[in-house]
Amino acid sequence: MGRLEAFAMQNGPWPSFLDGIGNGLGYAIILVIVGFVRELLGFGTIFGLQIIPDSWLMDNGGLYLHNGMMTMPAMALILVACVIWAHRAYNKDIE
C-alpha cells in the first residue's frame, strides 16, 4: 500500500489507476501459481480432481509420495522465493 500511495502522489489519476490494476493482477497471478503448485505437489489434486494417479504412489510401486510439507504455510514463502528467483534469472538483463 505504501508503494501505491507513493506512486499515486507522484502521478496523475489514470497512471495511478493502471498501476494499481497491474499490481493487483500481478499479486493475483502469484497467488494462483503458488496455490496451484502447493495443491498439486501436496495432495496430487487440482480443484479436488485427482491429477496424479494412485498408481504413481509409493504404496503401489510408484515414485510419488504426497508431500504434506507443501501444504504448510512456510512452503508458500519458499515457493514465492523460487518464483522471484526464476523471474530474476529469466530477466537478468532488465533492471
Side-chain angles (χ1 to χ4, degrees), residues 4-90:
L4 292 174
E5 184 178 355
F7 185 88
M9 289 174 62
Q10 300 292 326
N11 297 291
W14 184 245
S16 299
F17 173 76
L18 292 178
D19 182 63
I21 294 294
N23 277 301
L25 289 175
Y27 185 65
I29 289 170
I30 291 297
L31 287 177
V32 168
I33 290 171
V34 168
F36 181 86
V37 171
R38 288 179 71 199
E39 179 75 15
L40 182 63
L41 297 179
F43 296 115
T45 62
I46 297 295
F47 298 118
L49 299 172
Q50 190 73 31
I51 302 297
I52 299 176
D54 288 335
S55 61
W56 289 12
L57 292 174
M58 291 183 90
D59 299 338
N60 299 332
L63 297 174
Y64 177 73
L65 178 64
H66 290 301
N67 188 355
M69 183 101 93
M70 289 299 285
T71 62
M72 298 183 79
M75 272 319 278
L77 294 174
I78 293 171
L79 284 173
V80 168
C82 289
V83 168
I84 292 170
W85 170 75
H87 182 273
R88 287 187 177 178
Y90 182 74

